[in-house]
Amino acid sequence: MLTTPLIQTVTLSRQAVDSPEPYDAVQCNIDFVNLLIGEYFKAGELPADSLLSYYVDYYLSQVNNGGFAQFIYNSGLDDEINDWIAQGLQKMGAVRHVALFAQSLKRVREMPEDKLQTFFNSEFFGQNHERDALNESNEAFYALEDEEDLDEINGRWLRSLPNLKIVDEADFAKSDAAVEIVKIINVGYAKGGVVLRAEKDEEGDAYYPSAKDVVGPKILATRKLFEDRATESRCLTKRMTTARPRP
């Protein structure tokens, strides 16, 4: 069931948005969702569009890895996940994928209850008649991927969202520039540079990410060069020398 999320914006790094590879935007969104989940955000608090992309990619990776049967086996025929996928495909404009997904789910739901339970209780690999029956749509899926490439569609859709927020790579967990001051310096040298901060909801105890504009000149005093080359490249360095104090 889709609800009004606490966070409204989809967040991607500048590097992912500018990349010529469509999947870079998809992977960046996955990293963002996993980062928030790691900070104990619940699904209903996350950006709806982020989750739509996230679960469409989950569906694609499962089918590519082990067929439609593997997707059903690993997701447990979860209605909420299926809802995210169906709506995601629809919003992305993957019209034929929408129809094929619905057709494949219909085949699962028409399977006798005892056979479906046998499928979930059995080993996925090896001889498995129920698995083979559920995989009947695999060839149609793979053929459709040649015409409606979900990686390309997903990435293009993410980059076109009106609620997209673009941040520097430093604000993602995988960045080498993890220190807070380094993040501010790295993105604060050019117009539009923002960093993410958690702010408390004035009407409750919930926290939500907020983008802060940090562009502007900064004066820093350090005893050594920055280890992060990106940070050092954004600085005009004045090396001080020792001297006797004047009388």
Side-chain angles (χ1 to χ4, degrees):
M1 179 176 62
L2 304 185
T3 59
T4 302
L6 179 63
I7 308 169
Q8 300 287 335
T9 56
V10 173
T11 302
L12 299 179
S13 70
R14 168 59 64 187
Q15 291 85 340
V17 172
D18 292 343
S19 171
E21 296 297 327
Y23 191 73
D24 285 349
V26 179
Q27 183 61 59
C28 187
N29 179 69
I30 293 170
D31 292 341
F32 176 63
V33 171
N34 287 338
L35 177 64
L36 293 180
I37 291 174
E39 295 296 327
Y40 305 104
F41 279 81
K42 298 176 181 178
E45 298 171 333
L46 303 183
D49 288 335
S50 289
L51 288 174
L52 294 177
S53 171
Y54 185 90
Y55 281 113
V56 165
D57 179 75
Y58 172 73
Y59 165 59
L60 173 62
S61 62
Q62 289 292 309
V63 177
N64 278 340
N65 183 257
F68 187 76
Q70 179 176 300
F71 162 70
I72 295 297
Y73 191 86
N74 288 339
S75 66
L77 195 58
D78 187 295
D79 287 337
E80 187 171 7
I81 291 177
N82 292 334
D83 192 27
W84 286 116
I85 294 167
Q87 294 201 38
L89 293 172
Q90 186 70 49
K91 289 192 72 172
M92 292 175 192
V95 180
R96 285 181 287 177
H97 271 292
V98 172
L100 182 59
F101 183 64
Q103 177 186 333
S104 300
L105 281 182
K106 184 173 182 289
R107 181 179 293 111
V108 179
R109 289 170 176 147
E110 288 177 347
M111 180 178 286
E113 184 65 25
D114 60 327
K115 288 186 176 296
L116 190 58
Q117 287 307 312
T118 297
F119 170 66
F120 283 123
N121 294 332
S122 66
E123 291 291 333
F124 184 77
F125 298 103
Q127 188 173 9
N128 190 321
H129 298 297
E130 289 75 24
R131 176 203 61 207
D132 295 340
L134 293 177
N135 274 338
E136 289 181 4
S137 60
N138 286 356
E139 292 305 318
F141 179 90
Y142 301 140
L144 181 55
E145 267 293 282
D146 291 335
E147 301 176 29
E148 280 191 357
D149 186 322
L150 283 182
D151 279 342
E152 183 176 337
I153 292 171
N154 196 347
R156 184 172 64 243
W157 178 72
L158 280 170
R159 291 179 173 122
S160 70
L161 290 172
N163 59 331
L164 176 64
K165 184 184 296 296
I166 301 173
V167 300
D168 191 85
E169 191 75 34
D171 270 311
F172 285 86
K174 289 186 177 180
S175 172
D176 292 332
V179 181
E180 297 303 313
I181 187 64
V182 173
K183 291 182 184 180
I184 294 173
I185 299 168
N186 279 354
V187 302
Y189 76 100
K191 187 176 181 180
V194 297
V195 296
L196 296 180
R197 289 292 181 269
E199 292 191 349
K200 188 175 182 181
D201 185 353
E202 294 180 357
E203 300 179 358
D205 295 328
Y207 286 81
Y208 62 94
S210 176
K212 301 298 182 181
D213 189 346
V214 294
V215 64
K218 301 163 185 66
I219 300 176
L220 308 168
T222 67
R223 290 182 294 175
K224 59 182 180 179
L225 298 177
F226 286 102
E227 293 182 3
D228 189 298
R229 292 183 179 181
T231 305
E232 193 64 36
S233 70
R234 289 159 171 74
C235 298
L236 297 175
T237 303
K238 170 66 177 177
R239 290 180 172 82
M240 309 301 290
T241 58
T242 59
R244 291 179 179 274
R246 293 180 179 179

